[in-house]
Structures are given as C-alpha cells and as structure tokens.
Amino acid sequence: MRNLVRATVAAAAFALPATGAAADEEQPVVVELFTSQGCASCPPADALMVELARKEDVLALALHVDYWDYIGWPDGFADPAFTHRQKAYAKAAGERMIYTPQMVVGGADRVIGSRVMEVADLIQAHRDTAHPVDVEVMRDGDAVAVTATAPGGAGGDLLVQLVTFSPHERVEIEGGENAGAVMDYVNVVRAWTLLDRWDGTGTWSREIAVEGPGAIVVQQDGPGPVVGAARID
C-alpha cells in the first residue's frame, strides 16, 4: 500500500511546463524506464510514466527487465534483451551496477526513476537542446515510410531503431514484493529492433512494416545520446 500511495503522490506532483504550438512541432524527448513487476521500488516510477506518456513532447518507453523474476513473480513483459540494453548503458557510462527503477533520458542521462523533480529537470534540459537529426514518418496502414535527415551533419555511427510497444496494460500481481497490487503500465516495449547503421550524412530512408503503435529512435552507438526520434501513431 505504501508504494501505491507514493506512486499517486509522485504522479500528482509531476508537472512539466506547458508547451505551445512551436514545441509540439519539435521531436520528443526519449525517456526509457527500466522497471519490473517484481520490484517493490518501481510503482512510483511506473505511475510517473503514466504522466509522461500524456506529454506530446515526451516519448516515454517502459522496458521491463528480467532480473527480478526470481523473487516470486515472473514479469510477463520482461525481455533479456532489455536487461542487455540497460547493461550496455551502464558499460558506456563506466558503471558496474544496474538497478530498477532507472530512467535514461535522451540516451545520455541516468536517474532513479522515482525522483520526480530530477526527471523533470533532465527532460527540460533535453527539450532545450536541438536534435541534429530530423526524423519524419508517414503511415499508410501497416506500411511506414521513414526519413532521417541531418541538415548540419551528424557524423558518427548512428543506430536507426524501430521500437514497438503496447500503449496500456493492466496487471494483477499475485506474487513477489508487489503481491496484491493492480498495476497500470503504459508504452510497454515489445521489441527494440536495429533497422540500420547510418553515418549521419545526407538522408536515410526506408519503408518498413509496423503493426500498432511504435517509434523511430536514432541514437549514437554505445548506446549513446539520442539524436532524433519520431512517433509512429
């Protein structure tokens, strides 16, 4: 119950500055949450994601990891690939440990996912920083045309990635540290797929097949900072 109260307080306290029409045209700030249904500290961060998912200028993505499954409740959304991604972030930052809930903002800044004001400050900082790559998507049914352009050049080894996710899932947790809780999860990542490597010059384009909602995330290898992103609605 304590965790659920903390989650409600955290969600209510979180408020990003209002955005105008100009901000709506900008690319969203990518926020990745590494979380688990079996983690007692995660509900406040999961609730914060519900608030973030409502922001037009934020692309909130929940990646469920599998290293809490042993304590009595296997997370049905967990994927070893997401644990590997979190470890790759840690390695790139020279860190030895990973934890939940952790948020990675813009592929560059790591923070405990329940620290509301720190998360808000990081999102604001990334919102104020221009993306060097413009990503545009056009959808026709399951066919999606993707174009990435670097007007001023974005040299380096860039990863063009497709992320697919479920907008909302409700789970009754029957075991582990959160036993008895009914949790709402948003933007639950189902797959994070590398489409191509790009040198960041000129224009990259491709038509891909996408069922349901998703996003294109372009970031430096490492994984490193996100340099461009767009939703696929």
Side-chain angles (χ1 to χ4, degrees):
M1 179 63 70
R2 181 184 304 172
N3 285 328
L4 295 179
V5 171
R6 288 174 56 200
T8 302
V9 172
F14 192 89
L16 292 177
T19 56
D24 289 343
E25 296 175 0
E26 297 176 357
Q27 297 185 94
V29 177
V30 177
V31 178
E32 301 170 58
L33 171 65
F34 293 94
T35 186
S36 173
Q37 295 173 19
C39 165
S41 300
C42 286
D46 297 320
L48 180 53
M49 285 291 281
V50 174
E51 300 303 309
L52 290 177
R54 297 189 177 115
K55 306 291 182 180
E56 290 294 328
D57 52 2
V58 176
L59 175 58
L61 300 169
L63 295 96
H64 287 239
V65 296
D66 63 350
Y67 50 84
W68 287 112
D69 288 1
Y70 76 95
I71 60 175
W73 180 255
D75 189 326
F77 306 140
D79 190 323
F82 304 153
T83 301
H84 178 76
R85 180 172 178 81
Q86 189 182 22
K87 288 181 177 179
Y89 271 127
K91 182 177 180 180
E95 299 172 349
R96 294 186 177 182
M97 298 182 63
I98 58 175
Y99 62 88
T100 55
Q102 182 184 48
M103 285 186 181
V104 178
V105 181
D109 294 304
R110 292 157 298 282
V111 62
I112 294 174
S114 55
R115 292 185 176 176
V116 180
M117 296 313 299
E118 290 183 35
V119 172
D121 288 344
L122 287 173
I123 290 174
Q124 183 63 52
H126 281 269
R127 184 192 289 114
D128 292 340
T129 303
H131 287 87
V133 175
D134 296 327
V135 182
E136 296 183 358
V137 298
M138 293 186 64
R139 181 165 205 159
D140 183 7
D142 289 342
V144 178
V146 181
T147 302
T149 308
D157 191 9
L158 303 183
L159 309 178
V160 183
Q161 303 158 112
L162 169 65
V163 185
T164 54
F165 56 86
S166 173
H168 175 254
E169 297 285 349
R170 176 165 290 177
V171 178
E172 297 182 9
I173 300 176
E174 299 176 359
E177 294 182 345
N178 292 318
V182 178
M183 295 296 302
D184 287 296
Y185 298 102
V186 295
N187 294 3
V188 179
V189 174
R190 296 303 195 181
W192 195 296
T193 306
L194 176 64
L195 296 176
D196 200 5
R197 291 181 179 270
W198 176 41
D199 64 5
T201 61
T203 298
W204 182 95
S205 62
R206 179 179 296 182
E207 184 171 295
I208 59 176
V210 182
E211 295 183 9
I216 297 295
V217 176
V218 182
Q219 71 181 131
Q220 295 177 7
D221 197 4
V226 172
V227 295
R231 288 184 180 83
I232 303 173
D233 295 321

